[in-house]
Amino acid sequence: MFLGPPGAGKGTQARELAQQWGVPQIATGDMLREAVAAGTPLGRDARSYMDRGALVPDDVILALIAERLAKPDAKGGFVLDGFPRTIPQAEGLDRLLRDLGHELTRVIFFDVSEAELLRRLTGRRSCPNCQATYHVVSAPPRREGVCDRCGTALVQRADDSEATVRNRLQVYAQQTAPLLEHYRARGILTRVPAEGSIEQVREAVRDAAGAGR
Ligand code: AMP
């Protein structure tokens, strides 16, 4: 499980590690954005929360995760990215894992200062097609505004504006940060300093994750 504030780099690292391990990356934010783009009832409901940087209600998220974890590709394990985000979600996850016969082996905390998070999030651009992410200053695409991987026009997420980012950081501090103690107490939490380059963080994540494999 990858735990940390928005903009800490969880998505980038989760995508790579999941690919290397041959397991799915399960990112509730990506799943919700897909539902919004497809205009499903879930997407219509979720959008009002997401646009203002609030959390989507726990029961909605837990139903989404229950369905996802039951799929055949999740049988051999998975990387959770951006879930759980509240104590009730963590408790719901425990119940689901117990029912499925899985065990949470490692929680990796991405530690980044608030100033760096603001810089990263407000300069972030992403590909609406393949989910690749860029930064206008520190990780620009080869051609401005175009995804290196699939050629799609890049977008700024609606919730990456400065006002919404501040709200998301506050929501993180209040509702998600308590999970650190929850998992530390279980002895499965590893902190990774996540302000370095993507390569440096990748190394630290691999070291931390290796302990659980
Ligand atoms: P993310 O891409 O992980 O930053 O998520 C984007 C937005 O989706 C968040 O600001 C929330 O509104 C919503 N979201 C994603 N994951 C969760 C979750 N586990 N619980 C509640 N809301 C979530």
Side-chain angles (χ1 to χ4, degrees), residues 6 28-30 32-33 49-50 53-56 61 82-85 89 157 159 168:
T28 40
D30 288 344
L32 292 169
R33 274 185 294 280
Y49 298 95
M50 296 169 77
L55 294 184
V56 173
I61 296 290
F83 168 87
R85 266 173 146 99
Q89 287 183 18
R157 276 172 47 173
D159 60 350
R168 289 163 66 204

Side-chain angles (χ1 to χ4, degrees), residues 124-165:
R124 177 160 76 175
R125 299 292 180 273
S126 51
C127 175
N129 179 47
C130 75
Q131 323 297 338
T133 52
Y134 301 87
H135 188 277
V136 287
V137 178
S138 50
R142 283 193 292 274
R143 235 180 88 206
E144 194 184 330
V146 179
C147 181
D148 288 348
R149 284 212 228 144
C150 70
T152 305
L154 300 178
V155 295
Q156 179 174 34
R157 276 172 47 173
D159 60 350
D160 278 347
S161 68
E162 184 159 345
T164 310
V165 161

Side-chain angles (χ1 to χ4, degrees), residues 85-105:
R85 266 173 146 99
T86 64
I87 294 281
Q89 287 183 18
E91 290 169 352
L93 174 64
D94 283 344
R95 285 192 297 274
L96 280 170
L97 293 180
R98 205 175 313 124
D99 291 350
L100 291 165
H102 277 306
E103 192 195 349
L104 187 59
T105 45

